[in-house]
Amino acid sequence: AKGLSPLEIEQRITFPLETGMAGLPNLVKTRSLSQYGISLITIIFEDGVDIYFARRLVSERLQEIKGKLPPGVEPVMGPISTGLGEIFMWTVEAEPNATKPDGSAYTITDLRTIQDWIIRPQLRNTPGVTEINTIGGYDKQFHITPDPYRLIANGLTFSDVLTALNANNANVGAGYIEGSAGQFLVRAPGQVANLDDISNILVKNIKGIPILIRDVADVHLGKELRTGAATKDGYETVLGTVFMLMGENSRVVAQRAQKKLEEINRTLPQGVTAKPIYNRTTLVDKTISTVWISLTEGAILVIVVLFLFLGNVRAALITAAVIPLSMLFTATGMVTNRLSANLMSLGAIDFGIIVDGAVVIVENCARKLSEARNERPATLSLKERIAIIQEASQEVRRPMLFGELIIMIVYIPILTLSGVEGKMFVPMALTMLLALTGALLLSFTFVPAAVTVFLSSQKSHDENVVSRVAKKLYSPVLEFSLNHRALVLSSAAVLILVSLVTVTRMGREFIPGLDEGDIAIHTLRIPETSLSQSVELQSLVSRTIMDNFPQVQAVTGRVGTSEIATEPHPPSIGDKIVLLKPRHLWPDPDLPKVELVKQMEKVVNQLPGTNFEFSQPIRMRFNHLLAGVLSDVAVKVFGDDMEVMLDKAQEVSELLGQIPGATHVRVEQVTGLPILTIQLKRAEMARYGLNVGDVQDIIEIAVGGKNAGLVFEGDRRFDIVVRLPETMRTDVEA
């Protein structure tokens, strides 16, 4: 809702929409944000609600509420995506010497046009992509800038210009006529196609003299009054973002987008390229590599230990075979139940626990077979081996079963978690339960069968060197413990007490932070900061980072609100993504990322006019999605008096700042936006015969401009905007 103040947005748009959503089925809560020119309402449903069902409910309510909103306000729903939906970003850039067909250099407006009408339509057709977001550059517009003095001289007004434009920019179809054995469609094209067509539109005929648009106004190509901008490495650019459809595979969709962008580059004008700057595939590949290394190292470690302690190669191989088979069982269950294989779910798998039951059965079977061989030197028949292995398995079946069940019961309470905790930990618990169930079934079926086939009864089950050394070291410790029970028990009690005291002083967090590899910086400036000033400051920050830190590959930034306002910011607020080079290219590859962030924070905090909050791209987006704020911890103060709430928020901030470990404690800016209010004097207006609407139209045209139709260039569409000349607008603003 362009032009409305935050208070007007709250009263006229946000409040009716937010209250109108009350009573929706499975609704948990709503929250809203009212800023200059935009209202964002977040509607949260219960877990498990189908997203398409929820959107249909919201759409039905929107149809009911539309009539209560100001004219021209059209509420729309965001893309069918999640907080992890921004998976691929690119910039549209022109080479230094690149020129257009007319010989002129490419401008930021030309790059935005290429993004909107060449790149976006093609990328949007990529499977798994639900929307393309764009920020930066200017929308191309056809500007009519009337000269007030020439209008007055001809007895015309701004309304006459608008009326003339609307009446002279349309195509009409008049059906068809039939001729001899033929039929002709009748049409009367009247749309304008270029600047000359607009200039020759008739405004009014005064005493037989036609007054055209060009007689009272200048017609030229212009720029929109934009709400956001983008920068890269300290220079303004056009930034595009792919939103992934909810439920899709981010790695696969990002790879498709990368491939599609390579195809699109071949269709772009010479000298213009779309360069990827952020690809979720990189993070996913690193995560998969971490999981793969963790699982591989864990499996190898368990297998080595089995070889060392079992002392029998075949027994160790049989036990180790449970690991891939149980993982196959787990993967089958995960696919069936649509559980994602991620760092949380697979990283929790403990191969030592998985092979526990198999070790017990293999060890007992080997012992029984060895005893039978010692009693009967003759070779055991298959029937005798089966009987011995069956007896050995049944002997340890019950204790092993109870041991496995006890471990599985530990994970059951995790299944009761809901909300964010449930989404994080329930897949992990289910994955571990599947792995344990598979290992349990295999220990009762596969392991005895494999022992029967592969474990020879001719091999004695003597203790190996590792077992003998371990027993030799353990025997005196055990004897000492049994002879000095009081000392051992009291020492254990003291250790427990010390550990309890230590635990109370340890730092605790929900889950360890995932290192995404890149850095996100949230920038905040005083509310009256203009968009152009924010772009300059944003560029200064980018150049400072690039000049001082060789570890940085690129710095991209966004200021204000993008086309799809999933994160609406005023012009004074923006964010940056600092893309880091691979570690082997750093001057000091062993430098911790935390230390790099501290150094970066120290450098940028010396720049004037900006406050900074450091985070990571996904982490920052999720914090905003979950609670409407970008910080990890937030305190919200509710009430009906803004001044009182601000005072209390400041008191809360001071208290929180005293907590050890609390950093970047700030009160969110909710006041200070300068507004120039034009108070209309109705009595004076009446003397001049003016209506409120007439004056408001003049103010709207003078400052923000008013749409007066479209110009079509093939499939492309550009607005026609009536507004005052830039020099007069500057005088008005001054």
Side-chain angles (χ1 to χ4, degrees):
K2 296 181 180 179
L4 294 184
S5 68
L7 179 60
E8 292 169 325
I9 293 284
E10 177 69 25
Q11 291 177 338
R12 303 181 187 182
I13 300 174
T14 303
F15 184 77
L17 285 172
E18 192 170 6
T19 55
M21 295 299 157
L24 288 176
N26 307 117
L27 179 68
V28 175
K29 65 178 179 180
T30 60
R31 67 169 182 264
S32 63
L33 179 67
S34 299
Q35 292 184 349
Y36 171 74
I38 191 167
S39 168
L40 174 68
I41 298 169
T42 303
I43 305 172
I44 301 172
F45 289 87
E46 294 177 359
D47 286 344
V49 174
D50 181 70
I51 183 64
Y52 298 100
F53 172 70
R55 291 174 68 90
R56 187 166 68 249
L57 293 175
V58 173
S59 179
E60 291 173 356
R61 288 292 178 91
L62 286 179
Q63 298 301 321
E64 299 173 7
I65 303 169
K66 278 183 180 179
K68 303 176 183 178
L69 302 179
V73 173
E74 191 72 24
V76 294
M77 284 186 283
I80 310 173
S81 188
T82 68
L84 288 170
E86 298 180 355
I87 61 169
F88 188 76
M89 296 182 184
W90 68 94
T91 57
V92 185
E93 303 175 17
E95 296 177 2
N97 298 324
T99 58
K100 295 186 289 186
D102 60 3
S104 60
Y106 282 97
T107 65
I108 199 74
T109 303
D110 298 323
L111 298 180
R112 176 63 182 263
T113 302
I114 292 172
Q115 159 67 19
D116 287 342
W117 298 105
I118 299 179
I119 299 175
R120 180 179 180 180
Q122 297 184 68
L123 260 181
R124 201 171 179 181
N125 289 326
T126 305
V129 174
T130 183
E131 187 56 271
I132 303 296
N133 198 8
T134 304
I135 187 172
Y138 295 90
D139 280 340
K140 177 182 173 182
Q141 292 181 339
F142 289 78
H143 281 190
I144 294 97
T145 55
D147 185 337
Y149 301 108
R150 283 189 276 174
L151 286 176
I152 294 172
N154 289 280
L156 301 174
T157 64
F158 286 110
S159 297
D160 294 327
V161 176
L162 289 170
T163 302
L165 288 168
N166 290 325
N168 289 272
N169 187 21
N171 289 347
V172 175
Y176 64 89
I177 58 175
E178 293 187 4
S180 56
Q183 177 176 299
F184 301 92
L185 295 177
V186 180
R187 57 188 296 266
Q191 281 185 336
V192 294
N194 49 48
L195 296 176
D196 289 337
D197 289 348
I198 297 174
S199 299
N200 292 320
I201 289 177
L202 176 69
V203 180
K204 199 171 185 179
N205 196 309
I206 301 176
K207 296 180 181 181
I209 300 175
I211 306 298
L212 306 179
I213 290 286
R214 68 175 181 230
D215 297 325
V216 295
D218 294 327
V219 182
H220 57 88
L221 295 177
K223 304 172 183 177
E224 62 167 335
L225 278 179
R226 57 181 179 172
T227 58
T231 61
K232 180 186 178 185
D233 298 341
Y235 301 94
E236 200 168 341
T237 188
V238 177
L239 177 67
T241 305
V242 165
F243 279 98
M244 180 187 70
L245 182 66
M246 183 181 294
E248 291 286 339
N249 186 313
S250 61
R251 183 171 182 266
V252 173
V253 177
Q255 289 174 340
R256 292 173 185 163
Q258 171 84 31
K259 184 177 179 181
K260 187 67 175 179
L261 195 65
E262 293 173 359
E263 297 175 3
I264 294 173
N265 271 320
R266 294 194 287 268
T267 68
L268 298 182
Q270 187 175 2
V272 178
T273 55
K275 298 181 180 179
I277 58 170
Y278 177 78
N279 192 332
R280 182 68 55 77
T281 302
T282 304
L283 175 61
V284 175
D285 287 343
K286 288 181 180 178
T287 305
I288 292 174
S289 175
T290 300
V291 173
W292 175 254
I293 292 173
S294 175
L295 294 177
T296 304
E297 290 178 349
I300 292 174
L301 182 61
V302 170
I303 292 171
V304 169
V305 172
L306 289 174
F307 276 116
L308 291 176
F309 282 91
L310 288 178
N312 187 314
V313 175
R314 294 187 180 184
L317 289 175
I318 292 171
T319 307
V322 173
I323 294 176
L325 292 175
S326 62
M327 288 302 297
L328 181 61
F329 181 92
T330 304
T332 304
M334 293 176 71
V335 172
T336 304
N337 295 282
R338 299 185 64 83
L339 295 175
S340 65
N342 54 54
L343 193 60
M344 288 289 291
S345 59
L346 294 182
I349 293 179
D350 188 339
F351 291 126
I353 297 177
I354 288 176
V355 301
D356 189 32
V359 169
V360 173
I361 288 184
V362 170
E363 176 73 14
N364 201 45
C365 290
R367 181 180 63 85
K368 288 282 189 180
L369 288 172
S370 180
E371 291 176 354
R373 191 193 71 83
N374 293 333
E375 293 176 0
R376 286 169 286 179
T379 303
L380 297 174
S381 64
L382 177 61
K383 187 175 182 180
E384 291 174 328
R385 290 210 311 271
I386 291 176
I388 294 170
I389 292 171
Q390 184 176 2
E391 179 186 354
S393 300
Q394 291 176 345
E395 189 175 277
V396 297
R397 179 183 60 187
R398 180 172 294 182
M400 186 196 70
L401 176 62
F402 279 108
E404 295 280 356
L405 290 177
I406 289 171
I407 297 173
M408 296 172 70
I409 289 172
V410 173
Y411 288 92
I412 291 178
I414 298 177
L415 302 179
T416 63
L417 295 175
S418 59
V420 179
E421 296 86 353
K423 292 182 182 297
M424 287 287 188
F425 291 109
V426 168
M428 178 270 291
L430 289 174
T431 303
M432 195 62 194
L433 288 172
L434 286 169
L436 290 172
T437 302
L440 185 63
L441 294 175
L442 289 168
S443 64
F444 285 146
T445 55
F446 166 78
V447 172
V451 169
T452 304
V453 175
F454 298 108
L455 196 59
S456 172
S457 60
Q458 300 299 322
K459 178 68 177 177
S460 64
H461 191 64
D462 299 330
E463 292 181 345
N464 60 4
V465 176
V466 176
S467 298
R468 288 196 297 269
V469 172
K471 182 179 288 187
K472 188 175 182 180
L473 294 174
Y474 176 60
S475 295
V477 176
L478 177 62
E479 185 177 355
F480 176 83
S481 300
L482 294 175
N483 294 332
H484 301 83
R485 295 187 295 274
L487 176 61
V488 172
L489 293 176
S490 59
S491 300
V494 171
L495 286 174
I496 291 174
L497 292 175
V498 171
S499 63
L500 290 175
V501 174
T502 306
V503 166
T504 59
R505 297 178 177 273
M506 290 176 62
R508 284 164 286 180
E509 58 183 342
F510 175 49
I511 55 173
L514 172 68
D515 183 5
E516 300 175 26
D518 301 317
I519 302 171
I521 306 177
H522 192 57
T523 56
L524 304 97
R525 304 174 183 90
I526 57 176
E528 62 253 35
T529 306
S530 66
L531 183 61
S532 57
Q533 181 68 17
S534 286
V535 171
E536 291 182 11
L537 293 173
Q538 197 89 330
S539 300
L540 176 61
V541 175
S542 298
R543 288 194 291 269
T544 301
I545 293 175
M546 293 292 294
D547 293 342
N548 288 275
F549 297 96
Q551 299 91 341
V552 176
Q553 178 175 323
V555 181
T556 61
R558 295 181 290 191
V559 182
T561 303
S562 57
E563 189 176 67
I564 300 173
T566 52
E567 290 187 58
H569 295 312
S572 59
I573 295 179
D575 54 61
K576 290 183 173 297
I577 297 180
V578 181
L579 304 172
L580 302 178
K581 297 177 182 177
R583 272 196 172 268
H584 67 274
L585 298 178
W586 290 19
D588 181 9
D590 297 327
L591 179 68
K593 183 184 172 184
V594 176
E595 186 62 31
L596 176 64
V597 171
K598 289 181 180 179
Q599 296 176 9
M600 197 174 294
E601 188 173 1
K602 184 178 180 180
V603 170
V604 298
N605 278 330
Q606 297 175 1
L607 301 176
T610 307
N611 289 326
F612 302 93
E613 293 181 2
F614 282 75
S615 182
Q616 299 184 97
I618 297 176
R619 184 176 183 177
M620 183 172 67
R621 180 74 182 94
F622 253 97
N623 286 342
H624 188 277
L625 184 70
L626 292 173
V629 294
L630 298 176
S631 303
D632 293 330
V633 179
V635 176
K636 295 187 177 183
V637 181
F638 296 91
D640 53 8
D641 190 321
M642 184 62 70
E643 297 297 329
V644 174
M645 287 191 291
L646 277 175
D647 291 340
K648 295 301 179 184
Q650 191 61 45
E651 293 177 16
V652 171
S653 174
E654 292 173 0
L655 289 173
L656 292 177
Q658 299 173 10
I659 298 175
T663 59
H664 302 95
V665 180
R666 296 186 179 92
V667 178
E668 187 171 323
Q669 186 81 40
V670 294
T671 61
L673 178 67
I675 298 177
L676 175 62
T677 303
I678 301 174
Q679 298 289 352
L680 303 181
K681 298 180 180 180
R682 295 180 183 271
E684 301 292 333
M685 290 164 51
R687 288 186 358 203
Y688 288 98
L690 296 174
N691 295 318
V692 172
D694 297 331
V695 178
Q696 289 175 332
D697 284 344
I698 293 174
I699 296 172
E700 181 182 0
I701 293 171
V703 180
K706 194 163 186 176
N707 286 351
L710 296 171
V711 174
F712 289 83
E713 294 181 357
D715 293 334
R716 305 178 185 183
R717 296 175 296 175
F718 304 102
D719 289 328
I720 301 174
V721 178
V722 179
R723 62 191 299 187
L724 278 181
E726 196 65 32
T727 54
M728 291 189 176
R729 290 184 68 255
T730 304
D731 294 339
V732 170
E733 292 169 359

